[in-house]
Structures are given as C-alpha cells and as structure tokens.
Amino acid sequence: MSAHVREFFAAVTRIAAEIDVAAIERLAGELAMVRERGGRLFLLGAGGSAGNCSHAVNDFRKLCGIEAYSPVDNVSELTARTNDEGWDTVFAGWLEVSRLCDKDALLIFSVGGGDAERNVSVNLVRAIDLAKQRGAKVFGIVGRDSGYTARQGDVVVVIPTVNPEWVTPLSEGMQGVVWHSLVSHPELQIRKTKW
C-alpha cells in the first residue's frame, strides 16, 4: 500500500498550521471595504485556478453580496481575445472593457502568480499592471512568494511550500480552503448556506 495519501494530507495539515491567518483576516477586511464602496471583484486565474475562480465568483456573489466576475466564465470572449490579441493581454483587455476603476479589486488565484521574465502567466502580470495604473486593489491567493502577484499585491495569501513536488495541487486545493474561509467569515457572509 502506498503512503501517498497519508503524506499528502500530512502536507495539508502543515499548510493549515503554517499559513498566515493574519493575511487572510486582512483580506476579509479589504473585501468588505470593496463591497462597502460599491466596487466590483474580478477573479483571475488560469488552468485549475480558473476553475476555482468560477466557483469563487458564485460564493462571493451569493453568500457575501459582492459584485464579482471572472473573464474565464465567458469562453467565447476569452478565446476570441486569445486568438486575435494574444494570451498575454487577454485579462487586461477584458478589464479595460469592464471599466476597471479605483473602487474595484482583482483577486488572483495562481500557483506562481505570474512572471514576465520567465514568460509564465504574463496575462496576470498585465492585469496587475492595469489595476495599479487605475488605482484598483490587487489581492491574491498564490503558491509562490516570488511571483508578480505576491510582490505587487496589496494583500496576498501565500500558501506555504511544504513539499516542492506538490506545489501545484496543494496551492490550487488550498485556494478553495482560503476562499471558503473568506465567504464564511462574519465580516463578509451576509447569506447563510442551506447546509
């Protein structure tokens, strides 16, 4: 019998013990302020993180009353922009049409957080740059403290690296744990779940 499952869940336990809960609390407060000022929350991510964005948009809207959107939910526009303009600017182009402004915020879900020099998740880098130009807040839940999101964001929760071989699955899995802690936070949740 393999020890993989036991080791994987031991890694999850370590992350839960080591994660910066103060950063999560700060993020809850910042998200409450976005709602109070009538701002919108734009969730950005690629790959598995894109799927997390779609789920989180539902939770922030339904449970917290925050106007939230993600460009990954419109596959027609996403692929048209990718085809016509390129993957690097797909999120920034979408945010421009959405009239991103200083009341709004980005919430980045990513393993690495973007790195223009390495040509990884450059679409996140361009979106963050646009947000900074427009005075919008930048938040993140990422798996690396060395990426662009962690370096440029206003409040970023970094998933501790407890096993370098599992950075992606642990980061993407813990994104769900962190956003669920946020949408059930008493400062944010305004509607109860059914169960």
Side-chain angles (χ1 to χ4, degrees):
M1 177 183 268
S2 168
H4 171 78
V5 174
R6 183 177 290 109
E7 291 170 8
F8 192 89
F9 277 89
V12 170
T13 301
R14 272 191 62 199
I15 290 169
E18 295 176 16
I19 199 163
D20 185 353
V21 294
I24 300 171
E25 288 288 348
R26 285 193 306 277
L27 184 51
E30 289 282 352
L31 291 168
M33 287 191 285
V34 169
R35 180 179 58 201
E36 288 168 18
R37 67 177 171 260
R40 299 163 298 165
L41 181 64
F42 297 107
L43 287 92
L44 308 178
S49 295
N52 285 345
C53 287
S54 291
H55 183 161
V57 162
N58 166 69
D59 290 350
F60 282 112
R61 292 177 69 88
K62 186 172 184 293
L63 300 176
C64 302
I66 297 174
E67 188 177 349
Y69 304 97
S70 180
V72 302
D73 288 333
N74 183 339
V75 71
S76 295
E77 183 179 357
L78 185 72
T79 56
R81 286 186 178 281
T82 301
N83 188 58
D84 298 344
E85 301 156 19
W87 182 241
D88 290 359
T89 59
V90 67
F91 294 150
W94 189 90
L95 290 166
E96 286 176 2
V97 173
S98 297
R99 299 175 315 280
L100 180 71
C101 70
D102 58 0
K103 294 191 307 184
D104 300 329
L106 304 185
L107 178 53
I108 309 288
F109 286 174
S110 180
V111 175
D115 187 329
E117 294 79 32
R118 294 180 55 218
N119 197 34
V120 180
S121 298
V122 178
N123 49 13
L124 297 177
V125 173
R126 302 285 178 261
I128 291 167
D129 288 346
L130 178 66
K132 292 295 188 179
Q133 291 167 11
R134 303 253 175 118
K137 294 283 190 173
V138 175
F139 308 133
I141 304 170
V142 300
R144 294 285 190 198
D145 62 4
S146 58
Y148 201 71
T149 302
R151 292 192 327 258
Q152 297 296 318
D154 296 292
V155 179
V156 178
V157 177
V158 178
I159 307 302
T161 301
V162 298
N163 184 327
E165 294 180 16
W166 295 338
V167 170
T168 296
L170 290 171
S171 295
E172 290 178 349
M174 293 305 290
Q175 287 168 4
V177 173
V178 173
W179 102 64
H180 281 100
S181 75
L182 291 167
V183 299
S184 61
H185 194 287
E187 198 168 348
L188 288 172
Q189 185 176 13
I190 59 173
R191 290 182 194 91
K192 296 294 180 191
T193 59
K194 293 290 181 187
W195 296 98

